[in-house]
């Protein structure tokens, strides 16, 4: 849109009122040639003088990076969906299992973190009942199987294992109680050897402490005589303190080891003796129990093996199902990510609301691999290709840049674009190449797609080019005069535009031509009209 400009005083007509007398008319005829010369020089000079507010810049050559800049939102490259896998077993008229607890939306989680806890009481009750039924079926199946699988061999094996457990318990007790090479005696001797070593270390620490004391005194004497500096004195004091500390450590270590010896000789001996005797008695009772069980199994009657086997199979399937269902009442994060509740018009995800079987509850987008979901205007679509590199900045972290790659471009335009039905935009996905931190889904990001690079192009600032009637213009400075110039433009980015024709290197162009371009163009049009007349 052209800006409204005040007509210069030299273009405003001077009004005269009244009749022109013959003398005035004759003087006018005599002055006509001079007036024609003045008008010609006035209108054909379509240049304006340079004012103080005019900013100019010389045309030069530079590399132009052609980019397409679009805004979008961050998304995760991977999005693990979490579903409710608990069936409704309560049969209470409520379609689903109530949610007892759910992690807040937007929380960062690690693999194994608890996400959702569903009501498990009905499932636990059903599992307890099924466990009883399964054990009963297993018991009857074992009884029937005994007649076919040589129950005697099984009983002998169990009895042999129980006898071996008794023998090992007896041997372990005997090995502990041996006064010459028993485990207790060896432990006591080991502690005593440690005490001897500590005593040697104490003697060594004493000698080191005496040596460091002498060194310190010698350094202090040299310092008083001026042959040693303050740092040497401090080093000697530090060495002395370290030796003193080491000596104290060895003394403490000796006291601790002596206490350990006393505990081993007095208390641990009795505790270990009680444990081993109890273990032996338990093994003997286990042997008796094995013998009784074996006799009981042999005494049981034959059962209908096939029927009991199938019955046990069915019960075990139900038990496994209920076990899995109970475990599914607590949903844990399968991987690292951020919690994003599922969005639905008819269902709400919150505590107290029942969750249906296989209902989508939430997603876990991974936060270390992100992408930008943006749109590309239809006018730029032919420039964008898959695999093009991009520069990405996030509004939340404007000082950090990311590199990305164009991953996908939609075939069809967006249906509900906020640009309006007349403008078509196409959904485009740009992957961030490297792993990221601190970025969250939904953050606003600016994607600069690297379309092309033109080296050594004649370029001017973008604001210096004005388009009027589908023709590009610039205002050039010639000395102290300004004049409009037609130019042909090429590629451009957000700061500069390529000039393919109409200018030369070194020409000065106006950076703020909007306030004067219309007056200059009007002057040029008026000059052209006068020339044509």
């Amino acid at each position: 849109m052209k800006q409204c400009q005040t007509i210069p005083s030299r273009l405003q007509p001077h009004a005269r009122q009244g009749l022109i007398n013959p003398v005035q008319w004759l003087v006018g005829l005599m002055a006509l040639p001079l007036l024609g010369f003045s008008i010609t020089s006035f209108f054909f000079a379509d240049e304006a003088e340079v004012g103080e507010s005019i900013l100019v810049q010389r045309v030069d050559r530079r590399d132009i990076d052609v980019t397409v800049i679009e805004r979008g939102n961050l998304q995760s490259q991977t999005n693990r969906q979490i579903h409710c896998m608990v069936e409704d077993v309560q049969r209470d008229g409520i379609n689903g299992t109530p949610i007892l607890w759910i992690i807040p939306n937007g929380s960062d989680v690690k693999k194994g973190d608890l996400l959702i806890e569903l009501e498990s009481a009905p499932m636990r009750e059903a599992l307890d009942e099924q466990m009883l039924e399964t054990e009963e079926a297993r018991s009857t199946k074992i009884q029937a199987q005994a007649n076919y699988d040589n129950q005697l061999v099984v009983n002998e094996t169990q009895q042999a294992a129980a006898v071996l457990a008794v023998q090992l318990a007896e041997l372990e007790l005997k090995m502990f109680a041996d006064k010459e090479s028993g485990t207790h005696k060896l432990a006591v001797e080991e502690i005593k050897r440690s005490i001897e070593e500590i005593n040697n270390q104490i003697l060594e620490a004493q000698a080191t402490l005496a040596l460091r004391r002498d060194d310190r005194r010698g350094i202090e004497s040299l310092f008083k005589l001026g042959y040693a500096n303050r740092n040497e004195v401090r080093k000697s004091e530090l060495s002395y303190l370290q030796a003193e500390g080491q000596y104290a450590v060895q003394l403490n270590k000796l006291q601790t080891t002596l206490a350990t010896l006393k505990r081993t000789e007095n208390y641990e001996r009795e505790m270990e003796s009680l444990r081993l005797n109890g273990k032996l008695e338990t093994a003997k009772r286990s042997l008796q129990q094995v013998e009784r069980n074996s006799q009981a199994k042999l005494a049981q009657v034959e059962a209908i093996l096939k029927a009991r086997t199938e019955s046990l199979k069915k019960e075990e399937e139900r038990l496994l199902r209920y076990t899995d269902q109970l475990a599914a009442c607590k949903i844990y994060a399968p991987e690292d990510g951020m919690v994003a509740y599922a969005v639905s018009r008819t269902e709400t995800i919150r505590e107290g609301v029942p969750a249906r079987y296989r209902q989508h509850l939430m997603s876990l987008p991974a936060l270390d691999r992100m992408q930008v979901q943006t749109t590309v205007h239809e006018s730029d679509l032919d420039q964008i290709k898959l695999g093009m590199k991009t520069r990405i900045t996030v509004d939340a972290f404007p000082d950090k840049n990311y590199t990305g790659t164009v991953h996908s471009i939609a075939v069809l335009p967006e249906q509900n674009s906020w640009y309006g039905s007349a403008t078509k935009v196409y959904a485009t996905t740009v992957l961030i190449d490297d792993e990221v931190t601190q970025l969250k889904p939904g953050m606003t990001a600016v994607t600069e797609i690297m379309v092309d690079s033109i080296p050594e192009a004649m370029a001017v600032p973008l604001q210096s080019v004005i388009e009027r009637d589908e023709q590009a213009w610039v205002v050039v400075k010639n000395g102290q005069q300004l004049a409009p110039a037609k130019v042909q433009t090429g590629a451009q980015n957000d700061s500069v535009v390529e000039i393919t024709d109409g200018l030369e290197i070194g020409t000065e162009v106006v950076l703020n031509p909007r306030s004067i371009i219309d007056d200059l163009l009007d002057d040029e049009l008026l000059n052209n009209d006068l020339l044509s007349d």
Side-chain angles (χ1 to χ4, degrees):
M1 179 182 296
K2 293 185 178 180
Q3 299 179 351
C4 297
Q5 302 289 337
T6 302
I7 300 176
S9 58
R10 62 191 178 106
L11 298 181
Q12 294 179 354
H14 296 276
R16 295 288 304 269
Q17 297 181 0
L19 298 176
I20 302 177
N21 58 36
V23 176
Q24 291 175 331
W25 182 78
L26 180 60
V27 172
L29 288 178
M30 294 175 64
L32 185 60
L34 180 59
L35 179 60
F37 174 78
S38 300
I39 293 175
T40 302
S41 61
F42 176 83
F43 285 106
F44 282 86
D46 57 342
E47 297 178 341
E49 294 183 355
V50 180
E52 295 181 356
S53 61
I54 299 300
L55 303 177
V56 297
Q57 179 175 321
R58 292 184 182 277
V59 179
D60 59 1
R61 292 191 180 276
R62 66 182 70 181
D63 296 339
I64 299 180
D65 292 332
V66 182
T67 61
V68 174
I69 301 177
E70 298 290 350
R71 299 182 68 86
N73 295 320
L74 290 180
Q75 294 180 349
S76 174
Q77 295 184 18
T78 59
N79 201 8
R80 177 71 69 90
Q81 292 189 348
I82 305 298
H83 295 84
C84 173
M85 301 305 296
V86 179
E87 299 179 8
D88 186 9
V89 298
Q90 196 168 4
R91 305 292 190 268
D92 55 357
I94 300 177
N95 184 18
T97 305
I99 299 176
L100 294 182
W101 178 87
I102 186 170
I103 193 169
N105 195 17
S107 301
D108 293 333
V109 296
K110 298 293 184 181
K111 182 178 180 180
D113 289 350
L114 181 63
L115 300 179
I116 302 173
E117 183 176 0
L118 303 174
E119 176 61 58
S120 60
M123 192 64 66
R124 190 179 300 277
E125 182 180 353
L127 177 62
D128 292 341
E129 295 177 357
Q130 185 59 37
M131 288 178 64
L132 296 176
E133 294 176 0
T134 303
E135 290 301 321
E136 182 179 358
R138 182 177 290 108
S139 177
T140 56
K141 190 264 180 182
I142 291 175
Q143 295 173 8
Q145 191 69 37
N147 295 325
Y148 297 96
D149 295 336
N150 197 352
Q151 187 65 47
L152 287 175
V153 175
V154 176
N155 292 344
E156 291 175 358
T157 302
Q158 294 177 348
Q159 186 173 1
V163 171
L164 179 61
V166 173
Q167 294 173 349
L168 291 175
E170 291 175 345
L171 182 59
E172 188 176 2
L173 179 60
K174 182 179 179 181
M175 184 172 57
F176 172 79
D178 191 340
K179 296 181 179 181
E180 295 182 357
S181 58
T183 55
H184 175 71
K185 183 175 179 58
L186 294 176
V188 171
E189 291 178 354
E190 179 66 21
I191 295 174
K192 290 180 179 180
R193 284 193 297 271
S194 299
I195 293 174
E196 294 176 357
E197 293 178 359
I198 294 173
N199 286 327
N200 294 332
Q201 293 173 357
I202 290 175
L203 293 176
E204 181 181 351
Q206 285 177 337
T208 303
L209 179 60
L211 180 61
R212 294 293 182 266
R213 184 185 298 111
D214 294 340
D215 290 344
R216 185 184 66 172
R217 291 173 180 174
I219 294 297
E220 289 176 349
S221 299
L222 293 174
F223 175 74
K224 292 177 180 179
L225 296 175
Y227 294 103
N229 56 35
R230 174 62 66 181
N231 290 334
E232 292 176 338
V233 174
R234 291 176 179 174
K235 289 180 180 178
S236 66
E237 291 176 352
L238 177 60
S239 299
Y240 174 76
L241 292 176
Q242 289 175 343
E244 191 178 40
Q246 186 63 29
Y247 177 70
V249 168
Q250 297 302 328
L251 290 177
N252 293 334
K253 187 175 180 181
L254 177 60
Q255 293 177 358
T256 302
T257 309
L258 290 173
T260 302
L261 177 61
K262 182 179 179 181
R263 184 188 62 190
T264 303
E265 290 179 336
N266 297 332
Y267 302 105
E268 291 186 358
R269 175 184 177 85
E270 185 177 356
M271 291 173 59
E272 186 67 11
S273 178
L274 292 174
R275 187 186 69 83
L276 293 176
N277 281 291
K279 183 177 181 182
L280 177 58
E281 293 299 324
T282 301
K284 291 179 180 180
R285 288 193 295 269
S286 297
L287 176 58
Q288 295 174 359
Q289 183 178 359
V290 168
E291 292 173 349
R292 288 194 296 268
N293 288 341
S294 298
Q295 294 173 2
K297 291 177 182 178
L298 289 174
Q300 289 180 2
V301 297
E302 296 182 358
I304 306 174
L305 182 59
K306 292 183 180 180
R308 295 303 183 189
T309 301
E310 289 298 323
S311 175
L312 177 61
K313 182 179 179 180
K314 296 296 183 183
E315 298 298 336
E316 287 179 340
E317 290 177 354
R318 293 192 185 96
L319 178 63
L320 180 61
R321 174 186 170 190
Y322 287 137
T323 303
D324 293 340
Q325 288 287 296
L326 181 61
C329 289
K330 290 186 177 181
I331 304 176
Y332 297 91
E335 59 188 26
D336 296 351
M338 187 192 75
V339 174
Y341 287 178
V343 178
S344 174
R345 296 181 179 179
T346 58
E347 297 173 326
T348 303
I349 307 300
R350 58 180 175 84
E351 295 177 359
V353 174
R356 296 179 292 99
Y357 180 59
R358 296 187 180 278
Q359 178 183 348
H360 179 205
L361 300 177
M362 63 175 60
S363 300
L364 285 183
L367 301 183
D368 57 343
R369 290 287 183 180
M370 303 294 287
Q371 65 187 20
V372 180
Q373 190 65 37
T374 184
T375 55
V376 174
H377 193 271
E378 59 183 340
S379 61
D380 298 324
L381 193 63
D382 59 339
Q383 304 180 67
I384 310 300
K385 307 296 181 186
L386 297 181
M388 283 186 171
K389 290 298 180 180
T390 64
R391 287 194 295 262
I392 301 171
T393 56
V394 181
D395 288 359
F397 306 99
D399 296 333
K400 189 171 183 180
N401 294 325
Y402 302 90
T403 59
T405 305
V406 178
H407 177 67
S408 65
I409 305 172
V411 178
L412 299 177
E414 293 285 287
Q415 296 296 325
N416 297 320
S417 173
W418 61 271
Y419 288 99
S421 58
T423 303
K424 305 298 182 183
V425 293
Y426 292 78
T428 303
T429 302
V430 178
L431 302 183
I432 298 179
D433 295 337
D434 301 324
E435 291 187 0
V436 298
T437 57
Q438 297 181 322
L439 300 187
K440 306 290 185 182
M443 284 185 173
T444 302
V446 178
T447 302
E448 185 177 3
I449 304 175
M450 312 303 295
V451 176
D452 195 6
S453 180
I454 303 174
E456 293 297 319
M458 182 187 300
V460 297
L462 185 64
Q463 68 269 22
S464 64
V465 180
I466 303 297
E467 184 175 348
R468 291 293 184 267
D469 299 328
E470 299 183 355
Q471 172 62 52
W473 294 84
V474 297
V475 177
V476 299
K477 176 187 175 186
N478 296 320
Q480 293 299 317
Q481 300 295 325
L482 301 177
K486 294 182 180 181
V487 293
Q488 298 295 327
T489 60
Q492 70 179 52
N493 55 25
D494 59 341
S495 60
V496 297
V497 58
E498 179 187 13
I499 301 299
T500 59
D501 189 25
L503 292 178
E504 295 181 354
I505 298 298
T507 303
E508 292 184 325
V509 297
V510 176
L511 296 179
N512 51 343
R514 292 187 179 275
S515 60
I516 59 175
I517 185 66
D518 291 326
D519 284 343
L520 294 175
L521 291 177
D522 290 342
D523 291 349
E524 183 177 16
L525 179 61
L526 183 58
N527 291 344
N528 292 336
D529 291 342
L530 291 176
L531 286 175
S532 62
D533 293 340

